[in-house]
Amino acid sequence: MKFTSAALVFLPAVAAFAPVQVGNPVTCTTKLGATIEVPDRVAPDAGYVPEWEDRPGLPADQFMESDMTKPDRSGMWECPLTRWDSEGINIEEAQKEAAKMPHCPLEIRASDADVAKGADYFTQNKEQIRADLLQYGAVWFRGFDLMKSVKGHRQMYEALGLDPCLDPLHSSGLRKFSSERDALYEEVNKPSLRGHYIGLHSESTAKRTAAYAAFVCFQKATEGGGRFLVADGAAILAELDSKVLKKLYDRKIRISVSNLDLPPNMPGFLKEGVKELVDVAVAPKFDMDLEMIYESDGKPGRLQAIESAESPINRHPVTGLPVWFNNAHNHARKLRDRRPCGVPEVGMTEVFYADTMEPLSLEDCQEIKRASEKHITALAMEPGDVLLVDNYRALHGRDVFNGDRYHAVSWFTWDTNEEWRGEERRIIEKNGLNKAINQMMDWLPKDFESNQS
């Protein structure tokens, strides 16, 4: 169901097969040979858009400094297994319960006294902040100087007692480390993806889900844009049309996370050989339960890697609150084709009804878009700002931007429940694939735009 960000999972193995074009499409051809108009790409809406404040940051050589007196945290925990509790949910009662939740995120603006305390502010307020995170789903810290640097960001999360873990798809190549020893990943700042709108998603797969996240801004976009997006999964659940929500819950959904386009006239035995090769040699590296299926979206010769069927609603592991817990807003092709998109075809995704393997209808996609974007807060994050996120409650994304931008993120496991955390530590073998995919992404031209439809 859920695959992080741009979902470029099989890029090293299959990039040579993926159609990559640059330019603005006007028409496309369906599998029946009919030419149709490509939908207009329009930037999505947001329910609340705070003003920028133009607070200064530090030069790059300063904000990237690590405290070398602290121990190396690169041997962090593996991302914990996803906690599923989705059976027997009454849609009407779930929506009533979700509607009672307060606005997400809670905003905490630093006073001069708070700034002067540095890390002590977070030590002294640890219990209240952790309680607020459960209640609101996300906490936005504004105006703190401490987190303007890598070493300050680490001081903050350690003061809150948060325990770092790997990204659930560490080897996906979407993020490289900003500071490996500080358990800090670079966010999606690549020039080739700055024109790509990242829709709402949890950092999660059907198999693994980070418990919490801390997104930090070291440098906002130098030429505009780049707002960080957050929305409450409870608010979206309460907002959705009940009939659409029940249909999705009853039928469940499946998500295709990658495409490999082969010649439609390729002999069957060769197609099966490619399928087996991808299934055996590539898919296991991503620690996901994937099924390789040809032509699920109707495109001749297309091999898709598709996750297992899952509920779009889940109960929060700690509070039991039913929430919208899926990434359809980010992954539905009918939404991606109608907004700025800079992902190569190999990384394009699709969302299917699990019972028939038909792509979600345009009407259902539009309802997901309406309900989701009504509750987006498009944060004006500036240097030192941090958004602390409950990854089972709130969804996040990123708007397009111009110029250069440097945001980063740390993921965290369950720090008070050893059973949920598990005993797995970092699988070092994943790192080579992570670096290889990052290098391929860096080869894409700046402002790459997908022209596939």
Side-chain angles (χ1 to χ4, degrees), residues 207-353:
K207 192 171 183 179
R208 295 191 182 275
T209 301
Y212 311 106
F215 297 90
V216 59
C217 173
F218 295 132
Q219 177 187 327
K220 71 175 187 177
T222 55
E223 298 177 27
R227 287 178 178 269
F228 191 86
L229 312 176
V230 64
D232 187 355
I236 295 171
L237 181 75
E239 178 71 30
L240 279 161
D241 178 85
S242 298
K243 291 181 180 179
V244 173
L245 185 59
K246 188 175 189 315
K247 176 171 71 171
L248 294 172
Y249 177 68
D250 289 344
R251 299 180 66 176
K252 297 187 177 180
I253 62 174
R254 296 185 70 179
I255 286 184
S256 165
V257 300
S258 185
N259 299 328
L260 171 55
D261 287 335
L262 302 175
N265 58 352
M266 176 180 282
F269 74 94
L270 286 180
K271 291 172 66 176
E272 287 305 308
V274 172
K275 177 180 175 180
E276 290 178 11
L277 176 63
V278 173
D279 197 19
V280 173
V282 181
K285 297 181 182 297
F286 297 91
D287 199 15
M288 298 172 68
D289 295 323
L290 297 173
E291 181 181 7
M292 304 300 154
I293 303 176
Y294 275 107
E295 303 175 2
S296 292
D297 64 356
K299 177 72 178 292
R302 174 168 289 173
L303 178 63
Q304 295 180 289
I306 302 177
E307 287 200 83
S308 55
E310 298 141 31
S311 170
I313 308 172
N314 195 24
R315 294 183 182 92
H316 190 281
V318 178
T319 66
L321 178 71
V323 296
W324 179 250
F325 184 66
N326 72 86
N327 297 345
H329 183 264
N330 187 42
H331 292 335
R333 186 68 183 250
K334 292 181 178 69
L335 297 183
R336 282 194 164 192
D337 282 348
R338 288 166 170 79
R339 66 190 182 213
C341 182
V343 176
E345 185 59 40
V346 67
M348 288 298 285
T349 54
E350 182 58 288
V351 185
F352 302 90
Y353 302 107

Side-chain angles (χ1 to χ4, degrees), residues 66-77:
S66 177
D67 184 349
M68 301 306 293
T69 66
K70 285 185 171 286
D72 189 336
R73 303 204 68 155
S74 59
M76 66 199 84
W77 296 105

Side-chain angles (χ1 to χ4, degrees), residues 117-298:
K117 290 180 180 179
D120 287 343
Y121 171 87
F122 296 94
T123 302
Q124 295 167 8
N125 293 282
K126 171 185 172 181
E127 299 305 322
Q128 185 59 55
I129 290 171
R130 297 291 295 261
D132 287 340
L133 182 60
L134 271 182
Q135 182 180 5
Y136 292 88
V139 180
W140 181 17
F141 298 103
R142 301 188 75 181
F144 287 84
D145 287 344
L146 176 68
M147 295 88 79
K148 288 184 176 181
S149 67
V150 168
K151 60 184 178 182
H153 175 77
R154 175 169 172 171
Q155 286 181 276
M156 179 273 299
Y157 76 67
E158 289 182 338
L160 291 175
L162 296 168
D163 200 355
C165 70
L166 291 174
D167 184 291
L169 284 169
H170 171 73
S171 56
S172 70
L174 296 173
R175 293 193 184 93
K176 57 185 177 183
F177 283 113
S178 287
S179 178
E180 190 169 352
R181 69 181 314 277
D182 295 298
L184 185 65
Y185 285 87
E186 183 178 352
E187 240 196 277
V188 186
N189 304 312
K190 295 179 185 297
S192 59
L193 292 175
R194 63 189 176 189
H196 174 67
Y197 178 96
I198 301 175
L200 294 177
H201 63 285
S202 299
E203 212 64 25
S204 172
T205 72
K207 192 171 183 179
R208 295 191 182 275
T209 301
Y212 311 106
F215 297 90
V216 59
C217 173
F218 295 132
Q219 177 187 327
K220 71 175 187 177
T222 55
E223 298 177 27
R227 287 178 178 269
F228 191 86
L229 312 176
V230 64
D232 187 355
I236 295 171
L237 181 75
E239 178 71 30
L240 279 161
D241 178 85
S242 298
K243 291 181 180 179
V244 173
L245 185 59
K246 188 175 189 315
K247 176 171 71 171
L248 294 172
Y249 177 68
D250 289 344
R251 299 180 66 176
K252 297 187 177 180
I253 62 174
R254 296 185 70 179
I255 286 184
S256 165
V257 300
S258 185
N259 299 328
L260 171 55
D261 287 335
L262 302 175
N265 58 352
M266 176 180 282
F269 74 94
L270 286 180
K271 291 172 66 176
E272 287 305 308
V274 172
K275 177 180 175 180
E276 290 178 11
L277 176 63
V278 173
D279 197 19
V280 173
V282 181
K285 297 181 182 297
F286 297 91
D287 199 15
M288 298 172 68
D289 295 323
L290 297 173
E291 181 181 7
M292 304 300 154
I293 303 176
Y294 275 107
E295 303 175 2
S296 292
D297 64 356

Side-chain angles (χ1 to χ4, degrees), residues 373-387:
E373 293 172 15
K374 179 178 179 180
H375 293 283
I376 287 177
T377 295
L379 303 182
M381 288 184 69
E382 308 206 26
D385 285 1
V386 164
L387 184 73

